[in-house]
Structures are given as C-alpha cells and as structure tokens.
Amino acid sequence: MKLKGIVPRTWRLLKRIFLILFVAQLLYIILLRWVNPPITVTMISSWFSLWGTGKSFKRDYVNLDEMSQHVKLAVIASEDQLFPDHDGFDFKSIEKAMKHNQKSKKIRGASTISQQVAKNVFLWQGRSYIRKGLEVYFTFMIEKIWGKKRILEMYLNVAETGEGIFGVEAAAQANYRKPAASLNREESAMIAACLPNPVKYTVNPPARITAWRQRRILVQMRNLAPDPDVAALIK
C-alpha cells in the first residue's frame, strides 16, 4: 500500500519539476531576445583552462550595429551561407556530412549559425545524442523567438575567436587594437577564418591554415555580397 502511494506522488513531483524547468528555460530564451547572457558553459570551461597560465579571459558584448558589415558578411560566408534562408537547419549539408562521416574518420560538421548559437549559449561542447537533441530544440526556439538579426548578433558576441577570447569585439581589440566597427575586409575574414578551431587557427600571428582560410573567405564574401537577403541582414 505504501509503494502504491509513493509512485503517484513521485510521478506528480517529477511532472512539477519538469514543468518548472520548462517554464524557466522558456522565460530565459525570451529574456535573451533583448538581454545578453551573463556567462555560458563554454566561457566557464575556457576560463578554467586559462587558470594559472598567465593568459587573460576576454569578452565584450556589443550591438549588431556596432560591428563592421565586413565581419557580419565574413562569418556568414565562412560558417553558413544559407543563414538568411533556412529555418535553423541546412538539411542538404547535414546529409552530406553524414555520408562523409560514414566513410571517413575525420568528422565533418554541418551546423548552421543558429545551431552553433544554441550550443554555445544554452549547452556544452562535445558530441552526444542528448546534447544534439537539446540543440535541435533550442535552435527551433531561437529561430521562432529571436529572429535572424538577434541570432547573428548573439553569434558574433559569444563565438570563441581565440584562446580565452569571445566575440568579435574582443577579437578586434586583442588582435588589431580597434573596435569591431572599424574592422576591414581582410581583418574580418581573418577573424572568421579562426572560428572552426580558434585555439589552433591563430589570428595574430596568423597560422598558415588561418591565412589560407582567409583567402577563401574573401572570395566567398565577394560572391555573397550581392545577395539581397544577406545585404538586408548585415546593413
């Protein structure tokens, strides 16, 4: 009899906890439509990794209109050229990546800017089905609640752009001693070039692979600039 009473009470408690957590995360998503996150799991991890090394942690949030159009275009050209057009997921790229990963030991990703924001703001780094499932959920939610400009703004503020450096403003100050608003095409492409691996793909001094990626991104920027959807997003 005692067991029969405990099970329903436990189930009701679990449902209540789940409801509270769901409402809390929903309110947090809505709040971040206007307010920048105080910290992320990735930032905390980076801060701990720098502990005792003498290297400093750098982060600086700025509004989208305080960033050069070049750096906005550079990250779209580098990371997600279909960003203005999709609903958070690039299914063709996902399919191509899955086929590649079945044949190769070198894992290829297919995350959109929206997916990267969902991971960087709400989740943790690493690969697991649980994290990927949560990433899908948060990607869907920010696409519906935030919109493209806020997602791009968030990405440019929370993306790791160097060891212990987060956001394009911090990257601009650390590497070029200027604000993100003053970045030119070459500097913007160099910062975007480091995004796949900001610790290995150094900007200053530029690693060989960073310089190679910069040249490719500059070409892609020229090709993408006339796109009216992209132009409307970065202006």
Side-chain angles (χ1 to χ4, degrees):
M1 294 295 293
K2 288 184 179 180
L3 184 60
K4 288 182 179 180
I6 291 174
V7 172
R9 285 200 301 272
T10 303
W11 178 241
R12 286 195 298 270
L13 178 61
L14 289 174
K15 287 195 294 184
R16 190 173 300 167
I17 292 172
F18 176 81
L19 180 61
I20 292 171
L21 291 175
F22 177 80
V23 171
Q25 62 80 31
L26 180 58
L27 291 175
Y28 187 56
I29 294 173
I30 295 171
L31 179 65
L32 292 188
R33 173 66 178 81
W34 299 278
V35 179
N36 293 317
I39 197 72
T40 68
V41 174
T42 304
M43 290 178 185
I44 294 171
S45 176
S46 176
W47 185 79
F48 275 111
S49 70
L50 294 174
W51 187 271
T53 65
K55 298 177 181 179
S56 59
F57 176 88
K58 301 180 180 68
R59 182 199 71 180
D60 197 355
Y61 291 132
V62 293
N63 296 328
L64 196 63
D65 58 7
E66 296 178 272
M67 304 175 192
S68 162
Q69 289 189 10
H70 299 305
V71 77
K72 302 172 197 175
L73 179 60
V75 298
I76 293 174
S78 170
E79 297 297 298
D80 185 3
Q81 295 186 15
L82 297 178
F83 176 66
D85 306 313
H86 62 61
D87 293 323
F89 306 94
D90 182 353
F91 293 104
K92 288 185 178 179
S93 294
I94 292 172
E95 184 179 359
K96 288 180 182 178
M98 289 176 65
K99 290 180 179 178
H100 174 270
N101 296 340
Q102 288 173 354
K103 301 175 182 178
S104 175
K105 292 182 180 179
K106 188 176 181 180
I107 300 298
R108 177 187 294 175
S111 294
T112 62
I113 285 176
S114 303
Q115 288 175 272
Q116 292 182 56
V117 169
K119 176 182 67 176
N120 290 338
V121 174
F122 300 102
L123 303 170
W124 60 94
Q125 304 298 314
R127 296 180 180 275
S128 71
Y129 289 114
I130 293 175
R131 201 225 68 192
K132 202 66 182 177
L134 290 171
E135 180 185 302
V136 169
Y137 167 77
F138 282 112
T139 300
F140 174 82
M141 294 298 286
I142 63 175
E143 280 279 339
K144 297 301 181 184
I145 296 174
W146 293 2
K148 292 293 184 181
K149 285 205 170 186
R150 177 55 174 165
I151 292 172
L152 180 61
E153 181 179 69
M154 187 70 79
Y155 180 77
L156 289 163
N157 275 315
V158 303
E160 189 171 11
T161 50
E163 189 174 15
I165 302 172
F166 289 85
V168 296
E169 177 69 18
Q173 296 287 355
N175 294 298
Y176 301 114
R177 301 294 186 268
K178 61 168 65 174
S182 300
L183 289 170
N184 61 33
R185 286 174 55 83
E186 289 72 22
E187 293 162 347
S188 298
M190 184 65 78
I191 290 173
C194 83
L195 291 171
N197 191 333
V199 175
K200 181 180 178 182
Y201 299 178
T202 56
V203 173
N204 188 19
R208 179 178 294 182
I209 189 170
T210 318
W212 176 79
R213 280 180 50 80
Q214 180 205 33
R215 292 191 292 271
R216 291 191 63 190
I217 292 169
L218 285 168
V219 173
Q220 292 163 345
M221 288 170 68
R222 284 194 293 272
N223 295 336
L224 201 59
D227 186 303
D229 294 330
V230 173
L233 192 57
I234 68 174
K235 71 178 180 179

